[in-house]
Amino acid sequence: MAMRTKLSLAIFFFFLLALFSNLAFGKCKETEVEEEDPELVTCKHQCQQPQQYTEGDKRVCLQRCDRYHRMKQEREKQIQEETREKKEEESREREEEQQEQHEEQDENPYIFEEDKDFETRVETEGGRIRVLKKFTEKSKLLQGIENFRLAILEARAHTFVSPRHFDSEVVFFNIKGRAVLGLVSESETEKITLEPGDMIHIPAGTPLYIVNRDENDKLFLAMLHIPVSVSTPGKFEEFFGPGGRDPESVLSAFSWNVLQAALQTPKGKLEKLFDQQNEGSIFAISREQVRALAPTKKSSWWPFGGESKPQFNIFSKRPTISNGYGRLTEVGPDDDEKSWLQRLNLMLTFTNITQRSMSTIHYNSHATKIALVIDGRGHLQISCPHMSSRSSHSKHDKSSPSYHRISSDLKPGMVFVVPPGHPFVTIASNKENLLMICFEVNARDNKKFTFAGRHTHINP
Ligand SMILES: *[C@@H]1O[C@H](CO)[C@@H](O)[C@H](O)[C@H]1NC(C)=O
Ligand SMILES: [Cu+2]
C-alpha cells in the first residue's frame, strides 16, 4: 500500500518535472526563434568566410548584418502598425455608416414637413397645388394608408382654378378664405360656397372648377384624395379641360352654352378665358367674372331649402368634448346623414387645443389618423413600438420592450400620422391655440382609449 503511494508520487513528480521543463524549453525556443532570423544567420555566416575577410572586416560585416536586421524589424513593425490603423479606421467608418443608415430609418416615419415632404404639382402666378408624397414613400409602416393622398391648394385673391376632374374620391376642407366650388353637370352648374371649416365630398370624376371669391385673402383648401383606380393604388390624376389630358370629357360636360350661361360671357371671350390656361391652371379673373361664377342670391340660402348636400361646417358643429383646455369635434361614419363617410369608412375631426394646454394621452383602436395642422404651434409625441429604442432618452432600458418616442414640433402646414394602438399626445404652445383637422381612416368600430379620466380630455 505504502509502496504504491510512493510510486504514484514519483510518477506525479516526474510528470510535474516534465511539464516544467517543457514550459521552460518552449519559452526558450521561442526567444531563440526571435533572435535567430534565418536571414541574419545567413548574413552572419557569410561574414565568417575566413578567405574573404580580415578580422576587422568580419566585425564590420557582422555589425552591418545586425544593423540590417534591426532596420528590417523596424520596418516590419511599422507595416504591422499601419495595417492595424487602417483596419481600425475601416471598422470605424463602417460603424458610422451603419449608424447613419439607422438614423435614416429612425427619422420620424410619421411626421411630414411642409417643405420636404410635399411635391408641387401646379405652380402659377395665381397659386399652387402641392401633394403630400405617397405615405409608403416615407415608410413601409404606412402601407395601410397607401391609397390616401393629401393635397393643398393655395390660390391668390380673385383667381380661377380651371375645370378638372379627378379619378379619386375627394374630401374638400376649406382651411382659410372663401371659395366657390362649381360642380358641372350636363344641365346646370351647381355652385357651392365654402367658408372656413366647411367640408364636402366630391364623388370621383365630377368635373369642377374652384374660385377664390375673396378680393384680398388667399384661399387654402385641403383635399383628401382616395384614388378609385384599383390598378394604381395611391395614384390620382387631374383631368383638365383645354390643353389637358382629357379635354373632351371635361369640355363636353362644360358645353359652351352652359359655360356661357354660367359665366354670362360671350363665347369668344370664354375661349380666351380658357386659353389662358396655357399659362397655368390657376389664374386671376376679374370681379365681374367672380360674381358670375359665384352662386346667385337665390341658391345661396341653401342648405335650408331643397336639396341636401353632403356639406357641413366642422368649426360650427357641436363639439364632442369642450372645456377650458380645448375642443374636439367629430363627424363619423355613424352620423346618419353623412352616408359618404360611412361608405368611405372615414371620420373627420377638428381639434382646437387652448394655449398652454394638452390633450390626454390616447390612442385609436382601429383608425389611422392623418392630421393636418391648420393654425398655431405646438408639440407632438407618439409612442411607437416599431422602432428600435436607440433614442438617447431611453438608452438605459434596453432589455424591456422598447417604445420609441417620436416627437416633433408642430406648425401650420405640417402633417402627421398616428397608426392605431399608438398612444400620442398633442400640446399647444404657450402663445397660440393649436388647431388641427384630422382624417381618420378605417373609422368603423373605432374606439378612442385614453390613459386619463374621461373629463380631462385636455389638461394644462
Ligand atoms: C378655438 O378656441 C378658441 C378658444 O380657446 C376660440 O376663440 C377660437 O375661435 C377657436 N377656433 C375655432 C376655429 O374654432
Ligand atoms: Cu409604430
Side-chain angles (χ1 to χ4, degrees):
M1 192 66 182
M3 182 67 176
R4 267 177 97 183
T5 317
K6 262 188 193 158
L7 187 65
S8 52
L9 211 67
I11 291 168
F12 174 70
F13 276 119
F14 174 74
F15 275 115
L16 212 64
L17 202 72
L19 192 70
F20 270 119
S21 66
N22 204 7
L23 276 177
F25 185 62
K27 205 173 176 190
C28 176
K29 235 167 111 184
E30 228 172 77
T31 46
E32 226 170 41
V33 164
E34 203 191 32
E35 259 175 15
E36 294 299 315
D37 181 336
E39 211 180 346
L40 182 63
V41 174
T42 319
C43 182
K44 281 184 173 170
H45 183 71
Q46 268 165 3
C47 293
Q48 303 293 349
Q49 306 295 330
Q51 58 270 58
Q52 284 175 25
Y53 299 114
T54 64
E55 278 306 308
D57 284 342
K58 275 186 197 167
R59 231 186 8 258
V60 172
C61 176
L62 285 173
Q63 278 172 357
R64 212 183 307 147
C65 283
D66 278 332
R67 204 165 48 234
Y68 169 78
H69 183 64
R70 263 201 313 279
M71 270 164 61
K72 184 183 157 190
Q73 275 182 324
E74 270 167 31
R75 209 171 51 237
E76 276 172 359
K77 228 163 90 188
Q78 206 178 339
I79 290 170
Q80 266 180 3
E81 199 121 309
E82 275 171 13
T83 44
R84 194 171 49 85
E85 271 173 22
K86 212 168 146 192
K87 265 190 193 149
E88 273 178 7
E89 198 175 324
E90 271 174 9
S91 74
R92 208 168 334 130
E93 268 172 21
R94 212 171 316 128
E95 231 168 76
E96 274 169 20
E97 219 168 88
Q98 280 174 347
Q99 214 163 328
E100 261 167 41
Q101 276 175 359
H102 212 118
E103 264 156 28
E104 233 167 276
Q105 275 176 6
D106 266 12
E107 199 202 336
N108 292 334
Y110 303 135
I111 296 175
F112 297 80
E113 308 269 354
E114 194 182 10
D115 43 358
K116 270 199 310 203
D117 296 309
F118 281 88
E119 53 194 61
T120 303
R121 279 222 184 163
V122 175
E123 181 145 34
T124 73
E125 291 269 295
R128 57 179 182 162
I129 298 175
R130 291 173 309 128
V131 181
L132 189 67
K133 68 160 83 148
K134 224 167 138 176
F135 287 115
T136 42
E137 228 175 273
K138 182 80 167 182
S139 167
K140 282 203 189 84
L141 294 173
L142 301 178
Q143 218 155 8
I145 52 168
E146 185 186 24
N147 200 32
F148 292 83
R149 301 296 299 273
L150 190 66
I152 310 280
L153 164 77
E154 267 177 69
R156 284 174 184 278
H158 275 188
T159 47
F160 182 68
V161 182
S162 67
R164 66 197 60 204
H165 70 261
F166 301 99
D167 56 353
S168 52
E169 304 279 340
V170 193
V171 180
F172 279 87
F173 169 67
N174 195 132
I175 304 170
K176 261 184 215 159
R178 305 187 307 139
V180 175
L181 282 190
L183 308 184
V184 182
S185 68
E186 270 174 52
S187 55
E188 60 170 345
T189 298
E190 188 182 356
K191 299 164 183 169
I192 300 166
T193 57
L194 296 180
E195 300 287 342
D198 273 340
M199 293 193 126
I200 188 167
H201 166 238
I202 306 295
T206 309
L208 59 89
Y209 62 78
I210 303 165
V211 176
N212 179 2
R213 66 193 161 99
D214 200 280
E215 208 167 341
N216 304 305
D217 291 336
K218 252 190 176 179
L219 169 72
F220 289 87
L221 279 183
M223 297 175 270
L224 182 73
H225 287 271
I226 310 165
V228 289
S229 167
V230 281
S231 55
T232 52
K235 282 214 164 85
F236 73 93
E237 300 292 341
E238 298 169 291
F239 298 88
F240 296 102
R245 238 172 291 237
D246 188 6
E248 232 182 341
S249 70
V250 172
L251 266 186
S252 64
F254 275 88
S255 57
W256 285 114
N257 56 354
V258 169
L259 283 174
Q260 265 175 274
L263 301 172
Q264 296 174 345
T265 314
K267 191 176 170 186
K269 264 196 176 171
L270 260 181
E271 278 166 340
K272 222 168 109 199
L273 175 69
F274 287 110
D275 276 348
Q276 288 177 41
Q277 281 179 67
N278 295 332
E279 290 152 37
S281 62
I282 308 173
F283 50 89
I285 52 174
S286 70
R287 183 174 306 164
E288 290 69 40
Q289 284 171 318
V290 170
R291 204 173 301 134
L293 289 159
T296 56
K297 275 266 150 55
K298 189 170 158 278
S299 57
S300 69
W301 46 270
W302 177 91
F304 306 106
E307 288 173 89
S308 104
K309 274 284 148 280
Q311 181 187 15
F312 57 90
N313 189 289
I314 201 158
F315 288 170
S316 56
K317 204 177 155 66
R318 235 185 75 157
T320 320
I321 300 171
S322 177
N323 58 35
Y325 308 121
R327 244 169 38 177
L328 171 71
T329 311
E330 300 170 307
V331 188
D334 297 332
D335 285 63
D336 284 340
E337 74 271 36
K338 309 295 182 297
S339 59
W340 58 274
L341 286 173
Q342 173 78 36
R343 198 161 50 75
L344 299 176
N345 198 3
L346 208 61
M347 177 179 259
L348 306 171
T349 68
F350 167 59
T351 316
N352 181 350
I353 300 178
T354 312
Q355 59 192 65
R356 292 170 194 270
S357 304
M358 66 184 239
S359 69
T360 51
I361 300 173
H362 61 289
Y363 62 90
N364 281 319
S365 65
H366 288 67
T368 296
K369 187 187 197 73
I370 303 169
L372 169 69
V373 181
I374 58 172
D375 201 18
R377 277 164 196 273
H379 191 75
L380 162 79
Q381 286 185 8
I382 308 174
S383 170
C384 172
H386 297 110
M387 324 257 312
S388 64
S389 70
R390 258 190 74 261
S391 106
S392 51
H393 319 286
S394 53
K395 245 175 193 156
H396 52 284
D397 57 355
K398 270 213 163 103
S399 54
S400 55
S402 52
Y403 298 106
H404 183 86
R405 185 215 291 164
I406 293 170
S407 65
S408 170
D409 285 331
L410 297 176
K411 60 179 187 191
M414 279 180 72
V415 172
F416 62 88
V417 172
V418 187
H422 286 56
F424 73 101
V425 67
T426 43
I427 305 154
S429 76
N430 286 340
K431 291 190 187 127
E432 294 166 283
N433 279 20
L434 179 64
L435 271 59
M436 291 170 293
I437 190 83
C438 304
F439 303 94
E440 308 210 3
V441 171
N442 192 28
R444 220 171 284 134
D445 304 326
N446 186 55
K447 281 194 178 68
K448 284 183 164 68
F449 289 93
T450 62
F451 283 100
R454 279 182 76 195
H455 302 293
T456 52
H457 163 61
I458 288 165
N459 265 333

